[in-house]
Amino acid sequence: MFSNQWCNIKALPGANRLIKHLSGHRVPMALASNSPRENIETKISYHQALFAYCISYAGWKESFSVIIGGDEVRLGKPSPEIFLEVAKRLNVDPSSCLVIEDSLPGVTAGRAAGMEVVAVPSIPKQPHLYTLADEVINSLLDLRPEKWGLPPFQDWIKDTLPLEPWHIGGPVVKGFGRGSKVLGIPTANLSTEGYGSLLSEHPSGVYFGWAGLSKRGVFKMVMSIGWNPYFNNTEKTIEPWLLHNFDEDFYGEELRLIIVGYIRPEANFSSLQSLIEKIHHDRKVAEEALDLPLFSKYKDDPYLKSST
């Protein structure tokens, strides 16, 4: 049953983008996993057609110069053996390698191999466990290759990262009561019920796009998804801020969102004032970006104007 589900496993946000970027710049890549080699190749075989050279398309398997499974070494992670074998097959010094890992054993193995390590924690709200890593990032969307001597991404536009648009909607619900009262920033919260898989697919952070209210029109929107570390939420929330001054509350009205871009990862702040300042900066970034044709075209999407 487990094996039959491999075709449904989605890539982590930013994975396709990163592989395409590094492959396009001819950066050698390797895949080292404790899973058996056969399982690895079966799983990644469903991730195809990432980019084209002339008229031929390549997928994940073709993108990696080396693929090593846990059944090909004596000791798997946290032993460094699998990463040292990667360096040997790539014919490079371990110190010139960058490991990107989501697991604690993987981080331990990378450091023991003498490599630099970026951790993308698979355990929510637990970045403090990954202290051995050289850097801990929220998602692959936040990786800055130039920090590690690699070619930088060129797809950021006015401090935003364009995304394949995705949709979410539902009636406006009452939140924690802190948006207007504590922050002076009224959010039009959505219930997370029924959106478990969507929340797991999209990393915590600040996004932007367009919001449609069934009885009021379409408005610019900036939105946070996550645990809001400053307030230490116990559950992941969806908190859109419609960039318009409304004269009244509209709880219960149908709200539809099209998310078109990403601004930054979720972060904690030393003071309430610094949090408020950052939120207003996010607003400015979103407002300016949504005036660009790349993003403004979604304002007329029929999804936003549907009442059901």
Side-chain angles (χ1 to χ4, degrees), residues 143-181:
L143 181 68
R144 301 290 181 165
E146 63 272 22
K147 293 181 65 173
W148 311 101
L150 296 167
F153 286 115
Q154 300 292 336
D155 51 358
W156 284 81
I157 300 173
K158 285 187 174 289
D159 297 322
T160 68
L161 176 63
L163 300 176
E164 186 69 27
W166 49 281
H167 305 71
I168 187 172
V172 177
V173 300
K174 290 194 175 185
F176 297 96
R178 63 188 179 219
S180 299
K181 296 177 182 178

Side-chain angles (χ1 to χ4, degrees), residues 16 19-20 22-24 27-31 44 47 50-51 53 58-67:
N16 283 331
I19 292 173
K20 179 180 178 180
L22 295 180
S23 296
V27 176
M29 290 184 291
L31 176 57
I44 67 174
H47 297 281
L50 294 178
F51 51 91
Y53 294 126
W60 280 26
K61 183 178 179 180
E62 295 79 16
S63 301
F64 292 104
S65 302
V66 174
I67 298 176

Side-chain angles (χ1 to χ4, degrees), residues 26-233:
R26 303 294 196 273
V27 176
M29 290 184 291
L31 176 57
S33 170
N34 274 356
S35 298
R37 172 69 176 268
E38 181 181 358
N39 290 4
I40 298 170
E41 295 201 357
T42 300
K43 187 188 300 185
I44 67 174
S45 68
Y46 294 101
H47 297 281
Q48 295 293 327
L50 294 178
F51 51 91
Y53 294 126
C54 298
I55 59 173
S56 62
Y57 285 86
W60 280 26
K61 183 178 179 180
E62 295 79 16
S63 301
F64 292 104
S65 302
V66 174
I67 298 176
I68 301 181
D71 55 344
E72 299 179 87
V73 292
R74 291 181 303 105
L75 297 172
K77 308 169 191 179
S79 165
E81 182 182 351
I82 196 167
F83 285 133
L84 292 174
E85 180 63 23
V86 162
K88 180 180 177 181
R89 295 191 191 184
L90 289 175
N91 195 30
V92 296
D93 191 273
S95 63
S96 67
C97 295
L98 174 67
V99 171
I100 301 174
E101 263 287 352
D102 71 325
S103 73
L104 292 171
V107 170
T108 302
R111 289 307 305 268
M115 301 177 177
E116 293 179 308
V117 180
V118 172
V120 189
S122 58
I123 306 174
K125 300 183 69 175
Q126 301 293 323
H128 61 278
L129 298 178
Y130 293 78
T131 53
L132 284 177
D134 295 286
E135 183 183 29
V136 180
I137 58 178
N138 188 54
S139 78
L140 291 174
L141 297 177
D142 305 312
L143 181 68
R144 301 290 181 165
E146 63 272 22
K147 293 181 65 173
W148 311 101
L150 296 167
F153 286 115
Q154 300 292 336
D155 51 358
W156 284 81
I157 300 173
K158 285 187 174 289
D159 297 322
T160 68
L161 176 63
L163 300 176
E164 186 69 27
W166 49 281
H167 305 71
I168 187 172
V172 177
V173 300
K174 290 194 175 185
F176 297 96
R178 63 188 179 219
S180 299
K181 296 177 182 178
V182 178
L183 300 172
I185 298 168
T187 55
N189 294 22
L190 290 175
S191 170
T192 58
E193 186 175 352
Y195 285 113
S197 59
L198 182 142
L199 287 174
S200 66
E201 290 173 19
H202 298 285
S204 300
V206 177
Y207 299 81
F208 67 96
W210 296 97
L213 281 168
S214 55
K215 300 177 182 179
R216 301 171 190 269
V218 177
F219 308 92
K220 293 179 177 179
M221 175 275 302
V222 63
M223 173 183 75
S224 72
I225 290 182
W227 286 273
N228 292 303
Y230 184 84
F231 295 104
N232 196 27
N233 286 7

